[in-house]
Amino acid sequence: MAEAWESAEADVATGLGVLDIDQDGDLDLLVANGNDITPGPLRLYLNQGGVLETTASWVSDTSAYYGHLSVGDLDGDGLEDVVVSRFLGPGRFTEPGGVERFMNLGGALEPSPSWTAEGLFSFSNALGDLDGDGDLDLAVAVGEPYKNPPGRSLLFLNDGAGDFGLSPAWTTERDRHAMDVTFADINGDGALDLAIANLGDAHAVYLNEGGLPAATPSWEAPEELGPYEGNTVDWGDVNGDGALDLVISDNLQLGGPGVVRAWCGPSLELCWTSKDEAAYQSALSLEDVDGDGDLDLFAGSWWGVGRLYLNDGAGLSATPSATTERSIVYEALAWLDLDGSHAAEVTLSGVGLAAVPGRAPVRSLVGAVSADGWISGPGAWTATVLAPAPRDLAVTTWDKNVGNLLFQRAP
């Protein structure tokens, strides 16, 4: 994959989302800046007929120590909204941040958030319909491991109009430093569960019980395989057995092993570990990069090259099959067909929860909601989605010498 685009702004880029903000059929890029280094805004890079602008045409009125973000239609109006984690408060490590919601108002994000949850050191969040009622709920990973004690990760339920209320509906049973969170149907029962990547504690999965995560984890990574320094978690069927697997990066900055590992379902046993040199492992994503029908893994680290581990149908290669040319700080990854050359649409129908083939973009929905590769509704639904196809890779980096990047797929 070759570099094909770089943003003019070389900011402390962290969060990354793909969305068609203006409903013109082209997928745009949204970047959140700040991390724990320098406060920054959200920046939107519009895609105009397959050409991504290099200077953001929309910038939020707010600047903060922003972390990662999630995208989804929160109020059922057919437009994608945004939730972003605010890692630190204005006092940096002496003051917690929070979570903010930016609504899409007729094809443009509001300049400032219209809902916030305060008092949280949160680096990441996720959207998913946990209770199956047809709107997107919000899971928040909570923890700041450098200077502050651990906290309890949270779940806020959506009232159907995009409001998450003042109090969470669920919290983890004890305090941890959680750095990432994702929704996935881990046990295949037709309901979304919650997977959390922890730092200084075992990674954990909370199964869905009656529309909320269980009170205690159904799975925790074995103590003997620690210490853990979780950074990013993703889901997918890596070994092709029909059960979802988790892939988690473990950094080494605070004592972790500096590896990427796959935990294979349904029992989530360790089934693969990266064998290349230990690194400050960070962003990762499962994607069928070579189009052979199985999931490959792209993984990055801080001050390292991007690494592609191809899947031979039975599992991932132990060492990278290919790497990028330039070493950068990898923070977040997102896949998109920038020029729309593979924009064939297919119609899906179902009842309840279903995974989107190839985690392709959803164009329209009736009777359901979607986020991060899942469609969910309280009953029968129909959806128009893009057919799985080769996609380009967008990357954020908080290396101030480098802009945000786009790696173009191979011809």
Side-chain angles (χ1 to χ4, degrees):
M1 304 177 79
E3 291 182 20
W5 173 86
E6 184 171 348
S7 66
E9 295 97 347
D11 211 334
V12 187
T14 302
L16 178 62
V18 173
L19 71 167
D20 184 3
I21 189 71
D22 49 9
Q23 296 287 287
D24 65 352
D26 298 321
L27 293 173
D28 312 304
L29 288 184
L30 182 68
V31 175
N33 298 281
N35 208 292
D36 61 2
I37 302 170
T38 303
L42 276 62
R43 300 186 191 273
L44 180 71
Y45 298 89
L46 286 177
N47 179 351
Q48 297 171 323
V51 178
L52 199 61
E53 59 188 5
T54 55
T55 300
S57 57
W58 176 89
V59 182
S60 66
D61 287 349
T62 55
S63 287
Y65 294 100
Y66 284 122
H68 288 254
L69 61 86
S70 298
V71 172
D73 179 5
L74 298 178
D75 57 358
D77 65 353
L79 301 173
E80 293 170 293
D81 312 299
V82 174
V83 178
V84 59
S85 287
R86 188 160 27 91
F87 190 32
L88 309 176
R92 205 168 177 230
F93 291 103
T94 64
E95 186 177 352
V99 188
E100 298 179 353
R101 181 201 64 190
F102 290 78
M103 299 300 290
N104 186 336
L105 304 178
L109 292 176
E110 56 189 344
S112 300
S114 51
W115 175 88
T116 63
E118 299 292 341
L120 308 171
F121 291 106
S122 174
F123 196 62
S124 182
N125 65 77
L127 292 172
D129 183 13
L130 192 83
D131 54 4
D133 63 353
D135 56 42
L136 293 173
D137 307 309
L138 172 64
V140 181
V142 174
E144 190 289 294
Y146 295 111
K147 298 180 181 294
N148 287 279
R152 299 197 177 198
S153 293
L154 315 169
L155 178 85
F156 292 92
L157 292 178
N158 191 333
D159 68 354
D163 190 88
F164 298 110
L166 298 177
S167 301
W170 173 89
T171 70
T172 51
E173 79 286 4
R174 61 183 178 86
D175 296 342
R176 296 178 177 86
H177 286 122
M179 302 309 295
D180 197 20
V181 58
T182 190
F183 288 100
D185 184 7
I186 298 296
N187 61 353
D189 67 349
L192 288 175
D193 311 304
L194 208 58
I196 300 178
N198 291 309
L199 189 157
D201 210 321
H203 311 315
V205 168
Y206 296 83
L207 294 180
N208 192 322
E209 291 187 354
L212 289 174
T216 57
S218 66
W219 173 83
E220 291 183 289
E223 182 179 353
E224 62 270 18
L225 296 179
Y228 297 101
E229 193 176 332
N231 181 280
T232 305
V233 55
D234 198 12
W235 57 268
D237 182 6
V238 175
N239 58 2
D241 66 352
L244 286 189
D245 314 312
L246 295 178
V247 180
I248 302 175
S249 60
D250 280 290
N251 206 302
L252 54 70
Q253 186 182 41
L254 298 176
V259 298
V260 179
R261 290 183 275 210
W263 306 86
C264 286
S267 57
L268 295 179
E269 296 180 356
L270 181 65
C271 56
W272 178 85
T273 302
S274 59
K275 300 300 182 185
D276 44 314
E277 185 177 354
Y280 293 94
Q281 304 287 359
S282 56
L284 56 75
S285 180
L286 291 168
E287 173 84 359
D288 183 8
V289 175
D290 55 6
D292 65 352
D294 51 40
L295 289 175
D296 311 301
L297 173 67
F298 189 95
S301 61
W302 301 341
W303 305 289
V305 295
R307 310 178 315 278
L308 175 63
Y309 302 88
L310 289 177
N311 193 329
D312 64 4
L316 300 169
S317 59
T319 56
S321 307
T323 61
T324 58
E325 293 183 2
R326 187 162 38 156
S327 293
I328 63 170
V329 173
Y330 281 86
E331 186 53 47
L333 309 174
W335 301 90
L336 72 159
D337 179 11
L338 181 66
D339 60 9
S341 59
H342 297 280
E345 294 184 347
V346 296
T347 300
L348 303 177
S349 61
V351 177
L353 182 72
V356 181
R359 290 166 84 161
V362 177
R363 292 295 203 197
S364 63
L365 276 170
V366 176
V369 69
S370 68
D372 194 26
W374 296 99
I375 295 174
S376 176
W381 50 261
T382 58
T384 301
V385 307
L386 292 183
R391 297 190 288 185
D392 310 301
L393 175 63
V395 175
T396 55
T397 173
W398 42 261
D399 183 342
K400 291 185 178 181
N401 298 311
V402 183
N404 304 298
L405 299 174
L406 186 88
F407 294 92
Q408 194 169 34
R409 61 180 178 267

